[in-house]
Amino acid sequence: MAAAAEFDVQYVAHLARLNLSETEQQKLGEQLRGILAYVEKLSEVDVSGVEPTAHAVPLTNVVRPDVAQPSLTNAEALRNAPAKANGLFIVPKIVE
Amino acid sequence: MLNELTLSQLTHTLARREASARDAMQACLDRIARVDGAVKAFLSYDAPDALAQADAADRAIAAGADFRRQPLLGVPIAVKDVLAVKDQPLNCASKILGNFRSPYDATVIEKLRAAGAIVFGRLNMDEFAMGSSTENSAFQTTRNPWDTSRIPGGSSGGSAAAVAAHECLASLGSDTGGSIRQPASLCGCVGLKPTYGRVSRYGLVAFASSLDQIGPFTKDVCDAATLLEVLSGVDPRDSTSVPQPVPHYAGALTGDIKGLKLGVPKEYMIPGIDPAVDAAVRAALRHFESLGAEIVEISLPHTDYAVATYYIVATAEASANLARFDGIRYGARVEGTDPVALYANTRGQGFGPEVKRRIILGTYVLSSGYYDAYYLRAQKVRTLIRRDFLQAFEKVDAIVTPTTPTPAFKIGEKSEDPLQMYLSDIFTISCNLAGIPGLSLPCGFTNPKLGTGNSKLPIGLQLLGQPFGEATLLNLAHTYEQTTAWHREKPKLNP
């Protein structure tokens, strides 16, 4: 298992699109190194030949007929938008 | 006092026209006005809407509505702030959702309404259901009604405290690693986490999708059976809900448990269990024996790995589920020069410390180079944990454990040490990993003359069952409850 010491908070925060202050980075780094050291205990377990469990339901590939059904109206979908105009979400400029 | 009745006592009272649904709703609102300043279970509630629903229930009763078809007619039921109720606020006790109002009802809310319930209130919780004390709420810390200097448990702390303080007749919560059973235990009520797939999660804000289930908090086991029957069933809008017939759970409460085998896992008798909890659970086992059940020692060999497995699987899933809170389509937004900066600013300011901690941990265990070592390995250990339970259920009908290692702890006692907080979930976490049902019910109190700072605090007993074995769990719990008096005790709240 990977060593907890390699853990780079700043890099992971970037992957998670999460701004952290320097104080937060320091505190989180310390706490997470502790938690990662704790979860290292899983490396003791012999998992050879064991299938992973993604969920505990005896179901696979639940599908429904490909038929359009009523869903939220445009106004309902935009109701909670932080910025909107002309029936659309407003976002910062993406393409120059 | 109508608010102090159980759900079944209230519906009998309403059916006999001895009181109205409006009286019952008003009694809850009066109680909230009196005690919630001290308990802080509710984030908000819409009194005019609740009373309008009560009036509608009274009209239905006057028109001869059938309580067998609508078993919750006129019953005030409050809801954790993680479930969508049309036109009501939905915040998950987080700042990031801003002024969000739900555009639709969750399936469980539709089912409550169809059964006649008055659905009201937004109950406090740990932010995004991440925590064991409600101290992670962005808005307020809920207090334990038995001792307001202590935590009510979490993450559904508001749901447990509101029922224990008789501010509502019953409530809904969600349970990902113990978030129904642990607060039910610490507040002295009944809490049930159904089998994974038993109850639709459409309209539940997802935390860890392979673990989350919705379930009821009630004042007794019979009410839990009534609510479970209403909530259960397959739903085309949740592809993980299982097409398994829904039994008449209240009909399974026969009071006869002779010959049932109860397993006691030797791995759960760990050092660190509070002596009062240990004594109460041992006494409960003797009581079950006196009722005709057989106690059998069993082994769940991978118990010691459950907390580590859980904190990898749950945080990985959370980091993916919470990616949707990005400031674009709903909720609060903190502007940025480009979309990525906007996401990072919004999330950096909108999420609290525990949510950030789990997103970072979950992102890390899924990141390139670490996925196999952490996430895939945890999923394999999860298989072994589930296998332990399925093998145990070849020998026993249910498993009995303490719900929590200690009674309610003091506010602030563990909030600076996340790992210690995580370890307080040690008895409840495996149940979600295995996907089996679990129930907590009161089995005693601490002695105020010994330890625990002169407080009389509830102790909870956990029953774990086979997949879709809720009827057996409920009957065991009901039989125990009806031959003991713990569930009749009420906290003395005198604000």
Side-chain angles (χ1 to χ4, degrees), chain B residues 92-108:
Chain B
C92 299
S94 178
K95 286 190 292 186
I96 205 164
L97 273 148
N99 298 316
F100 189 91
R101 285 195 176 248
S102 298
Y104 58 82
D105 274 339
T107 296
V108 290

Side-chain angles (χ1 to χ4, degrees), chain B residues 176-220:
Chain B
T176 305
S179 284
I180 290 174
R181 291 157 288 150
Q182 185 255 22
S185 168
L186 301 186
C187 289
C189 44
V190 176
L192 172 63
K193 183 206 89 77
T195 306
Y196 186 77
R198 177 75 291 187
V199 174
S200 165
R201 300 175 300 172
Y202 177 75
L204 169 73
V205 178
F207 159 16
S209 302
S210 80
L211 304 165
D212 300 338
Q213 267 292 291
I214 298 164
F217 287 85
T218 56
K219 298 176 188 179
D220 70 12

Side-chain angles (χ1 to χ4, degrees), chain B residues 403-487:
Chain B
T403 310
T404 59
T406 67
F409 45 90
K410 288 272 188 184
I411 288 167
E413 193 178 319
K414 298 189 183 183
S415 50
E416 282 305 305
D417 188 345
L419 190 54
Q420 278 312 305
M421 188 74 95
Y422 297 172
L423 289 170
S424 72
D425 300 335
I426 193 154
F427 297 140
T428 51
I429 268 174
S430 300
C431 168
N432 301 72
L433 291 168
I436 58 174
L439 180 152
S440 180
L441 81 162
C443 74
F445 287 87
T446 59
N447 184 338
K449 296 193 179 68
L450 303 168
T452 64
N454 300 323
S455 295
K456 177 180 169 180
L457 301 171
I459 297 169
L461 186 73
Q462 178 175 242
L463 302 173
L464 301 172
Q466 306 192 27
F468 299 98
E470 282 88 349
T472 305
L473 285 192
L474 288 162
N475 189 31
L476 281 163
H478 173 77
T479 307
Y480 173 87
E481 175 193 81
Q482 293 303 310
T483 50
T484 55
W486 311 117
H487 64 294

Side-chain angles (χ1 to χ4, degrees), chain A residues 15-29:
Chain A
L15 291 178
R17 304 291 182 261
L18 192 58
N19 265 2
L20 299 175
S21 68
E22 271 188 33
T23 326
E24 282 179 316
Q25 287 187 21
Q26 206 169 6
K27 193 169 175 184
L28 272 176

